[in-house]
C-alpha cells in the first residue's frame, strides 16, 4: 500500500479540530483557522492529547492572511457564514498548490434556516450558485453532491428542522490559472 506524500493542509472553521488532527496523523503539516477562541483552546488540548502539532490561528477567514501553499483545504460548515464567498474563495485558491484538493460542505438554500440559526448571520448558497460556479471555473474536477432536507438532530433546544447542503471534493487543475 502506498502512502500519500506528505504535504500541507488547511482546515478552515475547524470546530474542535477532529479533521485537522486526522490530517496531522496522516503526516500532513496542518494549519487551522478558527474564529472561536474557545474552539481554538479545545483544538490545542485535543491535539496535545493525540500528540500531534497543529498551527492554530484564532481569526476569521475573511481577515486571515494565507502565506503558505496548501495541498489540501478543508472547509466543512464554514462558507455559509461568509457573505462575500467569491473574495474568500479567490484568497484560498491563491494559497492552493498545484493539483490541490478542496473538501467543502456548506448550507444550501434548499431548506429554510430555522430562526435559532439566524442569531449569527448565515449566507447559504443556492445549488449552482457562487461557490459551485467558482469551483467549476477553477478546478479540473468536481465531485458534487446535494443533500436536501436532512433532519437535524444535533442541536439541543432548537425546534425540529432540516438542513440542505452542497458537498463536494474539488481537484485543482495542473495550471495555476483558472479555466
Amino acid at each position: 500500500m502506498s502512502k500519500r506524500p506528505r504535504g500541507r493542509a488547511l482546515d478552515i472553521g475547524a470546530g474542535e479540530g477532529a479533521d485537522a488532527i486526522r490530517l496531522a496523523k496522516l503526516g500532513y503539516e496542518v494549519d487551522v483557522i478558527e474564529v472561536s477562541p474557545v474552539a481554538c483552546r479545545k483544538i490545542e488540548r485535543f491535539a496535545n492529547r493525540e500528540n500531534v502539532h497543529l498551527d492554530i490561528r484564532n481569526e476569521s477567514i475573511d481577515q486571515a492572511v494565507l502565506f503558505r501553499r496548501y495541498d489540501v483545504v478543508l472547509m466543512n460548515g464554514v462558507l455559509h457564514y461568509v457573505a462575500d464567498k467569491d473574495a474568500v474563495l479567490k484568497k484560498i485558491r491563491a494559497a492552493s498548490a498545484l493539483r490541490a484538493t478542496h473538501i467543502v460542505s456548506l448550507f444550501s438554500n434548499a431548506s429554510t434556516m430555522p430562526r435559532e440559526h439566524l442569531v449569527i448571520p448565515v449566507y447559504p448558497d443556492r445549488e449552482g450558485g457562487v461557490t459551485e460556479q467558482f469551483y467549476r471555473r477553477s478546478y479540473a474536477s468536481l465531485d458534487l453532491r446535494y443533500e436536501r432536507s436532512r433532519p437535524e438532530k444535533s442541536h439541543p433546544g432548537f425546534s425540529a428542522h432540516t438542513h440542505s447542503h452542497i458537498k463536494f471534493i474539488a481537484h485543482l487543475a495542473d495550471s495555476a490559472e483558472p479555466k
Side-chain angles (χ1 to χ4, degrees):
M1 178 167 77
S2 68
K3 189 175 180 181
R4 181 182 172 112
R6 293 179 180 164
R8 183 163 291 280
L10 174 63
D11 189 349
I12 303 169
E16 294 183 350
D19 292 325
I21 290 168
R22 286 184 196 102
L23 287 166
K25 284 183 170 188
L26 288 171
Y28 286 90
E29 295 176 52
V30 182
D31 292 348
V32 171
I33 296 176
E34 172 55 54
V35 72
S36 165
V38 172
C40 287
R41 288 190 295 275
K42 283 183 176 182
I43 295 167
E44 186 171 17
R45 188 172 69 242
F46 295 152
N48 287 337
R49 186 180 305 152
E50 294 297 321
N51 200 29
V52 296
H53 173 76
L54 303 174
D55 183 4
I56 304 165
R57 295 168 49 192
N58 177 212
E59 57 191 343
S60 162
I61 187 55
D62 296 33
Q63 303 301 316
V65 175
L66 302 178
F67 49 87
R68 294 182 173 138
R69 294 273 182 209
Y70 297 99
D71 302 292
V72 174
V73 177
L74 177 62
M75 293 179 278
N76 184 10
V78 70
L79 282 176
H80 47 255
Y81 296 111
V82 174
D84 189 354
K85 290 174 183 42
D86 194 55
V88 166
L89 291 170
K90 285 177 182 174
K91 177 193 314 192
I92 294 165
R93 171 67 172 84
S96 296
L98 294 179
R99 294 178 294 284
T101 298
H102 288 198
I103 302 137
V104 180
S105 176
L106 72 150
F107 289 151
S108 80
N109 63 2
S111 295
T112 303
M113 284 288 124
R115 62 180 168 73
E116 294 93 343
H117 273 297
L118 301 178
V119 172
I120 299 171
V122 180
Y123 309 96
D125 207 349
R126 66 180 176 80
E127 295 174 0
V130 172
T131 306
E132 188 178 330
Q133 289 307 310
F134 177 86
Y135 278 96
R136 287 195 185 284
R137 286 190 313 271
S138 301
Y139 286 75
S141 70
L142 183 65
D143 303 318
L144 177 71
R145 180 175 157 223
Y146 300 131
E147 183 177 71
R148 298 183 185 109
S149 301
R150 180 180 54 89
E152 179 57 59
K153 299 175 183 169
S154 67
H155 301 319
F158 278 36
S159 58
H161 65 281
T162 63
H163 286 295
S164 294
H165 292 89
I166 301 166
K167 297 181 175 190
F168 58 87
I169 299 172
H171 304 282
L172 190 63
D174 286 342
S175 81
E177 294 302 314
K179 295 191 275 183

